[in-house]
Amino acid sequence: MLHLARGTVIRVLERQTGMQVLEVKLSRQEEGSWQKAISFAREEYSPGDNLLLNTTALQLQLGTGGFHLVVGKIAEEVDCDVAPSEWGHIMKMRYSPWQLAVGSVEEEASPFHELFLQADLMLEGTPVLIGELHSLLPPAVLALKEKNPQMRIVYVMPDAASLPIAFSQHVRQLSRAGHLTATVTTGHAWGGNREAVTIHSGLLAARHVEKADVILCMLGPGVAGTGTAYGFSGVQLAEVIHAVSALGGTPFFIPRISFADQRSRHYGISHHTTAILGRFALSPTIVTLPVLGDERDCLIEQQAQAIVNSFAKHVLVRGKAPASERLNALEQRHGLSFSTMGRSWEVDCVPFQTAVLAADMLGKSMQSGKLAANGETRLPVSSGTLEALGLYLTRNGEQP
């Protein structure tokens, strides 16, 4: 299904770099029943402009935030570049009607092309915090910056969810505040400070082009799910774990945990997490589990056995769940609400506690001397190093 409709701009509601939010009237609508549309083109719109809109998501009542998507202006003659770039010929959204050319870090015209000709380019032990839910990006970033305000944090966004990074309010807010040093969009995702063809080169660009001390790799907003252990966006994170391992980075994983989601497959540790780590990931990662201090810990331990018994032999690290006062302070610092799956952190605090705990554990691992920050030389990380880190974090973490 690809549903298109004609609409007219009533007014411009928001104009950000790489994104505009418009109020539009569809041709079939009555007066006053106006809706919102979002555009990622760099052309400007004004009241009265006629647009071609992709209305598919709202036709299906999907959770896209209530937006139609602008294809472009309707005019008798159109000949313009609505996403200009100085160089680059790598196509994203290839062979779709909306394909666009970007300048990727790897290609021949790139000033970084010579860097990517090195066959032995590695992450050099750089810690990579991996997670499924985009809503957990702000608490993780802000928790890292609490302990080390000078830390260079780069967000790498793969293409399993939203493709335009401009759709993320969290990324705009974190970048504007200086909490994110840079962003990299990989695969068919686009709009980051750097573009990359693969997750591998995206991670390497974060480390060697943007000089990241820490890399965060989380899906963008708008993940897809089918109620099965095979058909959901987060499966791509197994590939991310493999890439980090192959490139000599240090993977940390934020498990998806909730006790407010009443769906049995997402109650406690989500079946998404157990599928990714228990079955699809073939390389180990450090997995942080919050200790809540009540009967919920028993369920987490039971569900974690699928991760413990996996082929990859992941390293589980447990720590006391951060206090609600800290979540509140981080939210106030961010300036946007912390919410996931439509629930605020007050209603569903465990996902955010888990993200902050993972960030804390990553920060402590850098303090251990095995992982360095601020541009110091780092060595590739082996599975034995992950085990040693897990032991260090267990012994030195805040105990319940």
Side-chain angles (χ1 to χ4, degrees):
M1 179 181 184
L2 175 57
H3 199 281
L4 301 176
R6 178 172 176 163
T8 303
V9 177
I10 303 302
R11 60 180 176 137
V12 178
L13 300 175
E14 182 180 351
R15 202 187 302 275
Q16 301 281 351
T17 302
M19 187 199 73
Q20 295 172 82
V21 180
L22 312 171
E23 191 171 53
V24 298
K25 177 184 179 298
L26 272 61
S27 56
R28 65 176 184 274
Q29 286 181 311
E30 299 178 357
E31 288 294 328
S33 57
W34 300 327
Q35 296 177 327
K36 292 181 181 179
I38 190 167
S39 170
F40 301 108
R42 295 183 191 172
E43 63 179 358
E44 293 192 1
Y45 303 103
S46 302
D49 286 345
N50 292 319
L51 307 177
L52 182 63
L53 303 170
N54 183 329
T55 63
T56 309
L58 266 69
Q59 289 287 328
L60 294 173
Q61 298 182 333
L62 299 181
T64 61
F67 296 103
H68 297 304
L69 299 174
V70 177
V71 178
K73 291 182 181 180
I74 299 175
E76 293 182 2
E77 182 176 349
V78 176
D79 185 5
C80 62
D81 185 353
V82 299
S85 58
E86 294 182 8
W87 53 271
H89 70 281
I90 295 299
M91 304 299 289
K92 296 207 171 186
M93 298 187 288
R94 288 184 286 278
Y95 298 101
S96 77
W98 297 277
Q99 66 178 353
L100 74 159
V102 302
S104 74
V105 290
E106 314 97 323
E107 64 176 297
E108 289 85 349
S110 168
F112 310 105
H113 179 63
E114 294 295 324
L115 173 69
F116 288 92
L117 290 178
Q118 300 178 36
D120 58 351
L121 197 60
M122 299 289 280
L123 288 175
E124 302 170 336
T126 305
V128 182
L129 186 56
I130 303 165
E132 179 187 357
L133 297 177
H134 190 74
S135 53
L136 303 185
L137 178 67
V141 169
L142 293 167
L144 286 167
K145 291 291 253 186
E146 268 187 326
K147 303 294 175 62
N148 188 347
Q150 303 306 313
M151 179 182 288
R152 294 180 63 85
I153 302 175
V154 177
Y155 171 51
V156 174
M157 191 179 94
D159 60 4
S162 167
L163 297 182
I165 197 171
F167 188 60
S168 171
Q169 291 183 320
H170 288 315
V171 169
R172 289 200 303 275
Q173 189 83 345
L174 291 168
S175 299
R176 187 184 299 122
H179 300 313
L180 284 178
T181 302
T183 59
V184 182
T185 38
T186 71
H188 287 284
W190 56 276
N193 300 120
R194 307 292 182 187
E195 304 281 3
V197 175
T198 68
I199 188 64
H200 299 73
S201 51
L203 292 168
L204 290 169
R207 169 64 185 136
H208 294 283
V209 175
E210 296 296 344
K211 311 301 181 185
D213 296 315
V214 175
I215 300 169
L216 269 72
C217 187
M218 297 184 183
L219 303 184
V223 297
T226 62
T228 71
Y230 303 96
F232 67 99
S233 296
V235 168
Q236 190 186 49
L237 298 182
E239 177 189 352
V240 174
I241 294 172
H242 298 159
V244 173
S245 177
L247 294 171
T250 308
F252 288 76
F253 195 92
I254 304 173
R256 179 175 172 177
I257 305 176
S258 171
F259 290 92
D261 196 323
Q262 296 305 309
R263 293 172 294 178
S264 59
R265 63 181 184 272
H266 291 303
Y267 191 80
I269 300 179
S270 170
H271 77 130
H272 285 185
T273 293
T274 54
I276 296 166
L277 300 178
R279 184 169 185 184
F280 300 133
L282 304 179
S283 301
T285 180
I286 293 177
V287 184
T288 54
L289 296 176
V291 177
L292 304 172
D294 54 36
E295 68 279 357
R296 292 173 296 177
D297 293 333
C298 294
L299 179 60
I300 290 176
E301 287 301 317
Q302 292 172 10
Q303 294 171 326
Q305 291 308 303
I307 301 172
V308 172
N309 297 330
S310 67
F311 172 85
K313 300 187 184 306
H314 302 293
V315 177
L316 270 59
V317 177
R318 298 163 181 83
K320 184 177 180 180
S324 59
E325 291 81 6
R326 187 172 175 207
L327 295 182
N328 183 60
L330 292 174
E331 182 184 55
Q332 295 302 313
R333 185 179 176 196
H334 183 44
L336 293 176
S337 298
F338 287 172
S339 66
T340 185
M341 308 302 290
R343 296 181 294 270
S344 68
W345 73 263
E346 291 96 340
V347 174
D348 195 5
C349 63
V350 178
F352 300 97
Q353 290 174 311
T354 305
V356 171
L357 177 65
D360 288 347
M361 291 296 188
L362 188 154
K364 289 177 182 177
S365 73
M366 298 178 76
Q367 298 168 10
S368 73
K370 297 181 175 65
L371 300 178
N374 301 322
E376 297 176 26
T377 301
R378 286 171 273 200
L379 299 176
V381 175
S382 65
S383 58
T385 303
L386 288 185
E387 293 178 5
L389 274 176
L391 182 61
Y392 170 85
L393 293 172
T394 299
R395 289 177 174 174
N396 293 278
E398 184 177 358
Q399 299 303 311

